[in-house]
Short mmCIF file of all heavy atoms in Angstrom, two decimals:
data_model
loop_
_atom_site.label_atom_id
_atom_site.label_comp_id
_atom_site.label_asym_id
_atom_site.label_seq_id
_atom_site.Cartn_x
_atom_site.Cartn_y
_atom_site.Cartn_z
N TYR B 3 2.67 -4.49 -0.61
CA TYR B 3 2.88 -3.15 -1.12
C TYR B 3 1.67 -2.29 -0.75
O TYR B 3 0.55 -2.79 -0.63
CB TYR B 3 3.06 -3.18 -2.65
CG TYR B 3 4.49 -3.44 -3.07
CD1 TYR B 3 5.11 -4.66 -2.77
CD2 TYR B 3 5.23 -2.49 -3.76
CE1 TYR B 3 6.42 -4.90 -3.15
CE2 TYR B 3 6.55 -2.73 -4.16
CZ TYR B 3 7.13 -3.94 -3.85
OH TYR B 3 8.43 -4.18 -4.22
N VAL B 4 1.91 -1.00 -0.56
CA VAL B 4 0.86 -0.06 -0.24
C VAL B 4 0.98 1.14 -1.17
O VAL B 4 2.08 1.62 -1.43
CB VAL B 4 0.97 0.43 1.23
CG1 VAL B 4 -0.05 1.51 1.53
CG2 VAL B 4 0.78 -0.75 2.19
N ILE B 5 -0.14 1.61 -1.69
CA ILE B 5 -0.14 2.76 -2.59
C ILE B 5 -0.31 4.04 -1.78
O ILE B 5 -1.26 4.19 -1.02
CB ILE B 5 -1.25 2.63 -3.65
CG1 ILE B 5 -0.94 1.43 -4.56
CG2 ILE B 5 -1.38 3.91 -4.47
CD1 ILE B 5 -2.02 1.08 -5.57
N SER B 6 0.65 4.95 -1.97
CA SER B 6 0.64 6.20 -1.20
C SER B 6 -0.29 7.24 -1.83
O SER B 6 -0.83 7.04 -2.92
CB SER B 6 2.06 6.78 -1.15
OG SER B 6 2.39 7.34 -2.42
N GLU B 8 0.45 9.72 -3.33
CA GLU B 8 1.01 10.26 -4.58
C GLU B 8 0.25 9.74 -5.79
O GLU B 8 0.38 10.27 -6.89
CB GLU B 8 2.48 9.86 -4.71
CG GLU B 8 3.40 10.48 -3.67
CD GLU B 8 4.73 9.76 -3.59
OE1 GLU B 8 5.62 10.07 -4.39
OE2 GLU B 8 4.87 8.86 -2.74
N CYS B 9 -0.51 8.68 -5.62
CA CYS B 9 -1.26 8.05 -6.72
C CYS B 9 -2.16 9.05 -7.43
O CYS B 9 -2.90 9.81 -6.79
CB CYS B 9 -2.11 6.90 -6.16
SG CYS B 9 -3.22 6.15 -7.37
N CYS B 15 -1.22 0.35 -12.96
CA CYS B 15 -0.77 -0.76 -12.13
C CYS B 15 -1.77 -1.92 -12.08
O CYS B 15 -1.39 -3.08 -11.96
CB CYS B 15 -0.48 -0.28 -10.72
SG CYS B 15 -1.90 0.53 -9.93
N ILE B 24 -5.15 -5.16 -7.06
CA ILE B 24 -5.30 -3.71 -7.11
C ILE B 24 -6.67 -3.31 -7.64
O ILE B 24 -7.14 -3.85 -8.63
CB ILE B 24 -4.20 -3.09 -8.00
CG1 ILE B 24 -2.81 -3.51 -7.49
CG2 ILE B 24 -4.32 -1.56 -8.01
CD1 ILE B 24 -1.66 -3.06 -8.38
N ILE B 33 -4.35 -1.53 -2.73
CA ILE B 33 -3.87 -2.90 -2.83
C ILE B 33 -4.46 -3.74 -1.70
O ILE B 33 -4.43 -3.35 -0.54
CB ILE B 33 -2.33 -2.94 -2.75
CG1 ILE B 33 -1.73 -2.27 -3.99
CG2 ILE B 33 -1.83 -4.38 -2.62
CD1 ILE B 33 -0.23 -2.05 -3.92
N GLY B 42 6.32 -6.55 -7.02
CA GLY B 42 6.90 -5.27 -7.40
C GLY B 42 6.49 -4.75 -8.77
O GLY B 42 6.95 -3.68 -9.18
N ALA B 43 5.65 -5.48 -9.48
CA ALA B 43 5.24 -5.06 -10.82
C ALA B 43 4.54 -3.70 -10.81
O ALA B 43 4.74 -2.87 -11.69
CB ALA B 43 4.32 -6.11 -11.45
N CYS B 44 3.72 -3.46 -9.81
CA CYS B 44 2.99 -2.19 -9.72
C CYS B 44 3.97 -1.03 -9.55
O CYS B 44 3.84 0.01 -10.21
CB CYS B 44 1.98 -2.22 -8.58
SG CYS B 44 2.65 -2.72 -6.98
N ALA B 45 4.95 -1.20 -8.69
CA ALA B 45 5.94 -0.15 -8.47
C ALA B 45 6.74 0.13 -9.73
O ALA B 45 7.07 1.28 -10.02
CB ALA B 45 6.86 -0.55 -7.32
N GLY B 46 7.01 -0.92 -10.51
CA GLY B 46 7.77 -0.76 -11.73
C GLY B 46 7.00 -0.07 -12.84
O GLY B 46 7.59 0.48 -13.76
N THR B 47 5.68 -0.12 -12.74
CA THR B 47 4.81 0.45 -13.76
C THR B 47 4.36 1.87 -13.43
O THR B 47 4.16 2.69 -14.32
CB THR B 47 3.54 -0.42 -13.93
OG1 THR B 47 3.96 -1.73 -14.29
CG2 THR B 47 2.61 0.13 -14.98
N CYS B 48 4.23 2.17 -12.18
CA CYS B 48 3.66 3.45 -11.75
C CYS B 48 4.51 4.65 -12.18
O CYS B 48 5.71 4.70 -11.89
CB CYS B 48 3.52 3.46 -10.23
SG CYS B 48 2.79 4.99 -9.63
N PRO B 49 3.90 5.64 -12.84
CA PRO B 49 4.64 6.82 -13.30
C PRO B 49 5.07 7.76 -12.18
O PRO B 49 5.93 8.62 -12.40
CB PRO B 49 3.65 7.51 -14.25
CG PRO B 49 2.30 7.10 -13.76
CD PRO B 49 2.49 5.67 -13.28
N VAL B 50 4.47 7.61 -11.01
CA VAL B 50 4.81 8.53 -9.91
C VAL B 50 5.41 7.81 -8.69
O VAL B 50 5.62 8.41 -7.65
CB VAL B 50 3.58 9.36 -9.47
CG1 VAL B 50 3.13 10.28 -10.61
CG2 VAL B 50 2.43 8.47 -9.01
N GLY B 51 5.66 6.51 -8.82
CA GLY B 51 6.29 5.78 -7.71
C GLY B 51 5.43 5.66 -6.47
O GLY B 51 5.96 5.61 -5.35
N ALA B 52 4.13 5.56 -6.67
CA ALA B 52 3.24 5.53 -5.50
C ALA B 52 3.23 4.20 -4.73
O ALA B 52 3.11 4.22 -3.51
CB ALA B 52 1.81 5.90 -5.93
N PRO B 53 3.36 3.05 -5.40
CA PRO B 53 3.36 1.79 -4.63
C PRO B 53 4.68 1.63 -3.87
O PRO B 53 5.76 1.70 -4.45
CB PRO B 53 3.20 0.70 -5.70
CG PRO B 53 2.67 1.41 -6.90
CD PRO B 53 3.32 2.78 -6.84
N LYS B 54 4.59 1.43 -2.57
CA LYS B 54 5.79 1.29 -1.74
C LYS B 54 5.77 -0.07 -1.05
O LYS B 54 4.73 -0.53 -0.60
CB LYS B 54 5.81 2.36 -0.63
CG LYS B 54 5.39 3.76 -1.07
CD LYS B 54 6.50 4.52 -1.73
CE LYS B 54 6.07 5.98 -1.92
NZ LYS B 54 6.99 6.71 -2.82
N ALA B 55 6.95 -0.66 -0.92
CA ALA B 55 7.09 -1.89 -0.15
C ALA B 55 7.08 -1.51 1.33
O ALA B 55 7.88 -0.71 1.76
CB ALA B 55 8.39 -2.59 -0.51
N GLU B 56 6.17 -2.07 2.08
CA GLU B 56 6.08 -1.73 3.51
C GLU B 56 7.01 -2.60 4.33
O GLU B 56 7.20 -3.77 4.03
CB GLU B 56 4.64 -1.95 3.98
CG GLU B 56 3.70 -0.92 3.45
CD GLU B 56 3.78 0.40 4.23
OE1 GLU B 56 3.37 0.41 5.40
OE2 GLU B 56 4.25 1.39 3.67
#
Side-chain angles (χ1 to χ4, degrees):
Y3 274 64
V4 174
I5 294 174
S6 74
E8 294 163 85
C9 174
C15 57
I24 304 175
I33 293 171
C44 52
T47 301
C48 181
V50 295
K54 318 278 189 192
E56 288 281 292

